[in-house]
Amino acid sequence: MRTIKVRSRQREELVEFTEQVQQQLAVSGQQSGVVVLFVQHTTAGLTVNENADPDVPRDMLHLLRTLIPQHGMGFRHGEENSDAHIKATLAGSSVTIPFKDGKLLLGRWQGIFLCEFDGGRERQVIMTILT
Amino acid sequence: MRTIKVRSRQREELVEFTEQVQQQLAVSGQQSGVVVLFVQHTTAGLTVNENADPDVPRDMLHLLRTLIPQHGMGFRHGEENSDAHIKATLAGSSVTIPFKDGKLLLGRWQGIFLCEFDGGRERQVIMTILT
Amino acid sequence: MRTIKVRSRQREELVEFTEQVQQQLAVSGQQSGVVVLFVQHTTAGLTVNENADPDVPRDMLHLLRTLIPQHGMGFRHGEENSDAHIKATLAGSSVTIPFKDGKLLLGRWQGIFLCEFDGGRERQVIMTILT
């Protein structure tokens, strides 16, 4: 079990950290199984999506902000980040990714992202390898 | 493999059951690994989110109801609970949470919730421990 | 580790493939554990939902299309499929399902679906069995 730290700079940002996961996997020496990543926060999530065109994460944050704006929705939670809690649940708190021959079995366009919805902050992701 | 029963009282409700999971984990005697929770229903989901302020679950259900109302969206499914099926898919049918030294590695504000979207009912969650 | 191929015919479609998963599980001979399914694409997801009434998947795609239309949302990604990337993240790239006595522990109404949001295509799903 390992902790990966991921730093966000903006309130809403998709921060890719595929390389950190692949590196930790290499260090483990494990060849085949699944990697489970779990984010220990309630206003950030994890997802696997396209890492080639930065407009994909941009469009995703734009759409989510349109559907779930920070203000004006009748939210009662006093910290003014209910939008971030909701988006975190929609993204999900974990991703599970298979690996073989020590390599993550990601598709050609897939990267692993921290979905920051209430940053910028340093976030903690727990990485577990199951074989 | 264990079955956890979670009781909801309202049509839409986030019911926390973190303690039941932690207790079953203690009974197992396992020290390190992940817990997989899976809900055996199609109008309820599972999520990990804030368990400190009850306005967070309230705001989440309020927002989801605004975006995905029960009526008036042109749904065809005759049971009048298409909204619940959709919300269940958005939340997801499983959560996967790491543990160490016999304790769930949840962040300070995280709790485990059944997301009830068509209650009140008794719901079944299958808990599997992987080490 | 096995690869399951799932074929979609339309741009948006929920394609059930529960039987293929159950068959591969039977071939493995494993009795108890979890199955992890992971889709190697960024415009398709996976979900567990009702497989009895085809109006449930129809209503789900209808609602998602209403909230996240392909055009007119100010998307910048040049491939005109940002809606599909977003829906893929909302559905999620993996599902994790327990099994016992060699059988998936799905609820009475649950089936496993590929969520196609930019088809029709042949999609690859990686199946891993953890015991």
Side-chain angles (χ1 to χ4, degrees):
Chain A
M1 210 161 289
R2 293 154 173 82
T3 300
I4 295 176
K5 291 179 191 294
V6 183
R7 176 83 211 171
S8 65
R9 303 284 166 190
Q10 300 181 265
R11 182 167 195 269
E12 297 183 340
E13 186 180 358
L14 296 199
V15 186
E16 193 186 359
F17 65 107
T18 314
E19 275 312 303
Q20 287 168 261
V21 178
Q22 183 58 59
Q23 280 171 20
Q24 292 293 328
L25 184 57
V27 168
S28 78
Q30 296 293 339
Q31 291 304 299
S32 179
V34 303
V35 168
V36 175
L37 300 167
F38 177 80
V39 64
Q40 288 189 303
H41 307 273
T42 59
T43 54
L46 297 174
T47 199
V48 172
N49 214 307
E50 179 176 324
N51 64 357
D53 179 1
D55 276 341
V56 171
R58 179 267 170 204
D59 286 352
M60 190 173 303
L61 294 173
H62 163 74
L63 187 283
L64 289 174
R65 202 181 305 121
T66 303
L67 292 181
I68 311 170
Q70 188 178 2
H71 303 292
M73 294 303 292
F75 294 139
R76 294 189 190 156
H77 179 50
E79 296 183 32
E80 307 215 353
N81 63 357
S82 281
D83 64 311
H85 287 287
I86 298 164
K87 290 168 194 165
T89 276
L90 295 181
S93 57
S94 69
V95 292
T96 303
I97 303 162
F99 64 96
K100 196 175 173 183
D101 302 328
K103 301 282 182 190
L104 293 167
L105 285 178
L106 292 166
R108 180 173 176 191
W109 306 104
Q110 287 183 313
I112 306 167
F113 292 87
L114 177 92
C115 306
E116 175 63 77
F117 298 120
D118 195 24
R121 304 197 203 178
E122 188 178 82
R123 300 292 202 168
Q124 295 213 124
V125 177
I126 308 292
M127 172 172 168
T128 310
I129 300 171
L130 299 170
T131 57
Chain B
M1 210 161 289
R2 291 153 176 84
T3 300
I4 295 176
K5 292 178 190 293
V6 183
R7 176 82 212 173
S8 65
R9 304 283 167 188
Q10 301 181 262
R11 182 168 196 267
E12 296 183 339
E13 185 180 358
L14 297 199
V15 185
E16 193 187 357
F17 65 107
T18 314
E19 276 311 304
Q20 287 168 260
V21 178
Q22 183 58 60
Q23 280 171 21
Q24 292 292 329
L25 184 57
V27 168
S28 79
Q30 296 293 340
Q31 292 302 299
S32 179
V34 303
V35 168
V36 175
L37 300 167
F38 177 80
V39 64
Q40 287 189 304
H41 307 275
T42 58
T43 55
L46 297 175
T47 198
V48 173
N49 214 306
E50 180 177 323
N51 63 358
D53 179 1
D55 275 341
V56 171
R58 180 267 170 202
D59 286 353
M60 190 173 303
L61 294 174
H62 164 74
L63 186 283
L64 289 174
R65 202 181 305 123
T66 303
L67 292 181
I68 311 169
Q70 188 178 2
H71 304 291
M73 294 304 291
F75 293 139
R76 292 187 192 160
H77 178 50
E79 297 184 30
E80 306 217 353
N81 63 358
S82 280
D83 64 311
H85 286 288
I86 298 163
K87 291 168 193 166
T89 275
L90 295 180
S93 58
S94 69
V95 293
T96 303
I97 303 162
F99 65 96
K100 196 175 174 184
D101 302 329
K103 301 281 182 192
L104 293 167
L105 285 178
L106 292 166
R108 180 174 175 189
W109 306 104
Q110 288 181 312
I112 307 167
F113 292 88
L114 176 93
C115 306
E116 175 63 77
F117 297 121
D118 195 25
R121 304 197 204 178
E122 188 178 84
R123 300 293 204 168
Q124 295 214 123
V125 177
I126 308 291
M127 171 172 169
T128 310
I129 299 171
L130 300 169
T131 57
Chain C
M1 209 160 290
R2 291 153 175 83
T3 300
I4 295 176
K5 291 179 190 293
V6 183
R7 176 82 212 174
S8 65
R9 303 285 166 188
Q10 300 182 264
R11 183 167 196 268
E12 298 183 340
E13 186 180 358
L14 297 199
V15 186
E16 192 185 359
F17 65 108
T18 314
E19 276 311 305
Q20 286 168 263
V21 178
Q22 182 58 58
Q23 280 171 20
Q24 291 293 328
L25 184 56
V27 168
S28 78
Q30 296 294 339
Q31 292 303 300
S32 179
V34 302
V35 168
V36 175
L37 301 167
F38 177 80
V39 65
Q40 288 189 305
H41 306 274
T42 60
T43 55
L46 297 174
T47 198
V48 173
N49 214 307
E50 179 176 324
N51 64 357
D53 179 1
D55 276 340
V56 171
R58 180 266 170 203
D59 286 353
M60 189 173 303
L61 294 173
H62 165 73
L63 187 282
L64 290 174
R65 202 180 305 122
T66 303
L67 293 180
I68 312 169
Q70 188 179 1
H71 303 291
M73 295 303 292
F75 294 139
R76 293 188 192 158
H77 180 50
E79 295 183 34
E80 307 217 353
N81 62 358
S82 282
D83 64 311
H85 287 287
I86 298 164
K87 291 168 194 165
T89 275
L90 295 181
S93 58
S94 69
V95 292
T96 303
I97 302 162
F99 65 97
K100 195 174 174 184
D101 301 328
K103 300 281 182 192
L104 293 167
L105 286 177
L106 292 166
R108 180 173 174 191
W109 305 105
Q110 287 181 313
I112 308 167
F113 292 88
L114 176 92
C115 305
E116 175 62 78
F117 298 120
D118 195 25
R121 303 197 205 179
E122 188 178 82
R123 302 292 203 167
Q124 294 214 125
V125 177
I126 308 291
M127 172 172 168
T128 312
I129 299 171
L130 299 169
T131 57

